[in-house]
Amino acid sequence: MSSSQKPAGYDIDLGNECSRNAYSWSKKTFANRAGKPGEAAQDLDGGFANEIRFGNARLGISSDGIGTKIEVAERVGKFDTLGYDLVAMTADDLIVGGFVPTNLSNIIDVNTLDYDVIDEMMRGLHDACNFAGVAITGGEIAELGNRIGGWAGARMNFNWCSTAIGSLHPSLERPLSGAGVQAGQAVVAIQSPSFRSNGFSLARRTLQNLFGDNWHSAPYDGTDATPHGTAGHTWGEVLLAPSLIYSPGVAKVLDKGLPLYAAAHITGGGIADNFKRVLKNGVGAELTNLFEPLPAMQKLTELAGITPADAYLYWNMGNGMLLVTDEAQAEAVAESLRTDGYQAQVAGRITAEAGIRLKVGAGELTYV
């Protein structure tokens, strides 16, 4: 996709350039803590979490938000699932580095306060943190008036972000950076049952063009629609489906002593952009047994008139996390995850040739 083609209204390449620039400024501050508590490591360059050291304690830290999925909640009037998205965005960025999430701090910026909405949000965050084994140990609510906008019909407009920390799993000598990834290793995929918190700008724009201002109430008739499926019966409900938090399942894999060399949290940028971050040493990947796209994702791809190659950049297309392990242990890793309630399967292998090649229902897609 060229930089002039922006079906979502934003440029993934420009976003990556801005992130790299911001991180370059951040790295200039690392010297402030060199040899002191809070010393920053650089093993995870290019990822969404980093390592800080306090003596022998090695911690990970990650910050993120929910993005424009908040508007979907404002439209549907349901706020108790967003906590799963908020925890997933930071906890799962930690676990892919080998850090088991332990604590979370959050900040809610609002236009004007609504007690019941805040209560619903925090009840959901409580439930999500219980699922992930995380303690909420800090927070802030700021009332900012017209500095915060959103859907005009909402009871409260807001933005919600969090920072999470975690400790390096005791089985690991160093974070999972991808440094040990080699050709011949296997890739295990974990299914995503929702859009998570990414790709909503394209989804909202597509549905707005098709159904107008009240697109969230437009009926959804996919094969997974309720009452026989899980997605919901309106597009608003489909898009609001909460993120599945993967960190407990991946931590159990490490608890069992199963080998992991790298992991990728499939967020904005899809499989190609996120998996590429941990494919070091010039290796690539061939993924021939991924989970099929969710019916709603497939339908939105068609409604948006975008190519499958672009769809796999903007959405996870049914695959929320990829793990790299030994070929001989790949099925054991997948079975461990299935035992903990996740859908997982061996999806492919690491190749000596650079680039990511996907063999999916829409054909063969190559990203270099």
Side-chain angles (χ1 to χ4, degrees):
M1 184 179 67
S2 71
S3 60
S4 62
Q5 294 175 304
K6 307 179 186 69
Y10 60 86
D11 187 334
I12 290 176
D13 293 333
L14 178 60
N16 286 337
E17 290 174 14
C18 288
S19 293
R20 283 191 291 269
N21 180 54
Y23 185 52
S24 72
W25 282 108
S26 300
K27 286 198 292 187
K28 297 178 191 298
T29 70
F30 285 7
N32 294 335
R33 303 307 304 169
K36 304 174 184 177
E39 180 178 14
Q42 299 189 44
D43 290 354
L44 298 173
D45 271 14
F48 297 106
N50 210 336
E51 180 189 1
I52 50 178
R53 297 171 179 171
F54 291 85
N56 292 327
R58 304 179 70 172
L59 306 180
I61 185 167
S62 177
S63 299
D64 208 342
I66 303 174
T68 60
K69 188 170 186 175
I70 288 172
E71 184 185 320
V72 184
E74 291 176 351
R75 286 171 171 269
V76 176
K78 182 176 173 60
F79 305 94
D80 62 346
T81 62
L82 291 180
Y84 284 87
D85 303 300
L86 191 65
V87 172
M89 292 304 103
T90 51
D92 289 344
D93 278 349
L94 286 171
I95 199 64
V96 295
F99 299 101
V100 180
T102 60
N103 299 78
L104 179 142
S105 180
N106 69 113
I107 182 166
I108 308 171
D109 290 331
V110 308
N111 59 345
T112 184
L113 283 169
D114 185 300
Y115 179 92
D116 291 335
V117 173
I118 295 289
D119 181 65
E120 199 173 332
M121 291 166 61
M122 290 305 300
R123 174 162 48 85
L125 184 61
H126 156 275
D127 294 346
C129 284
N130 283 351
F131 180 89
V134 168
I136 306 168
T137 47
E140 163 84 355
I141 300 174
E143 194 168 8
L144 302 180
N146 62 9
R147 296 294 299 172
I148 300 296
W151 186 54
R155 291 153 58 190
M156 184 183 84
N157 296 134
F158 61 96
N159 191 42
W160 201 8
C161 298
S162 72
T163 293
I165 62 171
S167 59
L168 188 66
H169 193 277
S171 71
L172 299 175
E173 295 182 0
R174 59 190 305 169
L176 299 176
S177 66
V181 174
Q182 299 177 8
Q185 292 171 342
V187 181
V188 173
I190 313 177
Q191 187 184 44
S192 172
S194 70
F195 283 79
R196 297 180 75 73
S197 272
N198 307 99
F200 279 81
S201 293
L202 176 56
R204 291 185 301 110
R205 172 182 291 188
T206 299
L207 294 171
Q208 173 83 27
N209 290 340
L210 284 169
F211 302 116
D213 291 340
N214 290 320
W215 58 261
H216 57 283
S217 299
Y220 172 71
D221 59 358
T223 57
D224 55 342
T226 53
H228 304 295
T230 58
H233 68 277
T234 67
W235 274 105
E237 291 173 344
V238 169
L239 294 185
L240 193 58
S243 298
L244 178 59
I245 302 169
Y246 300 117
S247 57
V250 178
K252 287 283 188 66
V253 169
L254 293 169
D255 288 345
K256 294 173 182 176
L258 293 167
L260 291 182
Y261 301 103
H265 182 193
I266 309 306
T267 55
I271 290 174
D273 192 59
N274 290 281
F275 199 29
K276 181 171 62 178
R277 296 172 186 269
V278 297
L279 295 182
K280 301 177 180 178
N281 308 318
V283 299
E286 184 177 58
L287 305 176
T288 60
N289 190 39
L290 290 165
F291 285 99
E292 289 295 317
L294 303 178
M297 290 178 177
Q298 187 61 48
K299 195 172 186 69
L300 263 184
T301 299
E302 298 164 2
L303 292 174
I306 62 173
T307 65
D310 283 347
Y312 274 85
L313 283 173
Y314 287 108
W315 300 315
N316 62 57
M317 300 303 278
N319 300 270
M321 188 167 284
L322 299 178
L323 309 177
V324 180
T325 185
D326 290 328
E327 183 178 10
Q329 298 288 348
E331 185 53 40
V333 169
E335 180 57 29
S336 174
L337 290 159
R338 290 192 291 263
T339 299
D340 283 324
Y342 299 90
Q343 297 298 314
Q345 62 192 33
V346 181
R349 63 186 182 91
I350 302 299
T351 62
E353 303 79 25
I356 297 175
R357 290 164 290 281
L358 312 181
K359 186 175 181 180
V360 295
E364 295 189 12
L365 309 176
T366 300
Y367 303 88
V368 295

